[in-house]
Amino acid sequence: MRMKHPLFMIAVGIVFALPFISSGCDNNKATGNSVGEDYPSHQGGYEEHKDTMAKSIDNFAKCLAEKGAMMYGASWCPHCQNQKEMFGESWKNINYVECALPNGRGQAKECMDAGIEGYPTWIFRDGSKFAGELSLQELGQKTGCGV
């Protein structure tokens, strides 16, 4: 048997299915709860993760300081800025020596005495020296501090 009006049949199907589609499966309608009440782990998830990460970086930065890691840099150095940004607010815990002089000419005596030739330079308790940006993982490997 051939259907003469297939569009009519589709329209009838939609009309009958529409009430079922629009009612959905919203569990909150049955319980009277507002969205998210049944799932408290979803509330503030990003902020909690952000706080946890900040504490982790903070502890990592404190560990680096305790292990004697020292960064030498210059305020005008973009690589030094990148290194500082990796730590965010936790940068305050990093042992840091500013090598740039206020007049922009020359280098601070402490940096000359340490043999700093480029920025940033990290010097570790064992006397090893690494010039350039280091990842958190590289810093962790060198000091034994966990990220």
Side-chain angles (χ1 to χ4, degrees):
M1 175 167 120
R2 186 171 172 225
M3 292 192 344
K4 294 185 179 184
H5 301 288
L7 291 177
F8 175 75
M9 295 305 290
I10 292 172
V12 169
I14 290 173
V15 169
F16 281 108
L18 197 55
F20 297 105
I21 293 170
S22 65
S23 66
C25 295
D26 189 355
N27 192 31
N28 292 322
K29 287 182 182 177
T31 63
N33 294 334
S34 62
V35 174
E37 282 184 32
D38 289 338
Y39 308 101
S41 64
H42 289 101
Q43 295 176 350
Y46 172 74
E47 290 301 318
E48 288 173 17
H49 178 71
K50 187 175 154 187
D51 289 344
T52 301
M53 286 300 296
K55 288 176 187 173
S56 176
I57 297 295
D58 205 48
N59 290 334
F60 180 68
K62 288 176 184 176
C63 181
L64 291 177
E66 290 168 7
K67 300 283 182 138
M70 177 80 70
M71 186 182 127
Y72 294 80
S75 56
W76 48 261
C77 166
H79 296 289
C80 299
Q81 294 305 316
N82 292 342
Q83 197 77 85
K84 290 177 183 180
E85 287 173 10
M86 285 175 35
F87 290 94
E89 300 266 331
S90 300
W91 175 252
K92 65 185 179 284
N93 298 310
I94 298 295
N95 293 326
Y96 175 73
V97 177
E98 176 62 44
C99 295
L101 295 176
N103 64 9
R105 294 187 176 150
Q107 188 181 52
K109 182 175 180 352
E110 188 175 353
C111 299
M112 287 190 293
D113 292 345
I116 304 301
E117 297 177 2
Y119 309 117
T121 295
W122 287 89
I123 297 182
F124 298 95
R125 185 172 280 156
D126 66 3
S128 60
K129 189 186 300 186
F130 292 89
E133 293 179 47
L134 294 179
S135 70
L136 297 179
Q137 290 74 20
E138 290 170 317
L139 290 166
Q141 289 171 351
K142 186 63 186 157
T143 59
C145 296
V147 183

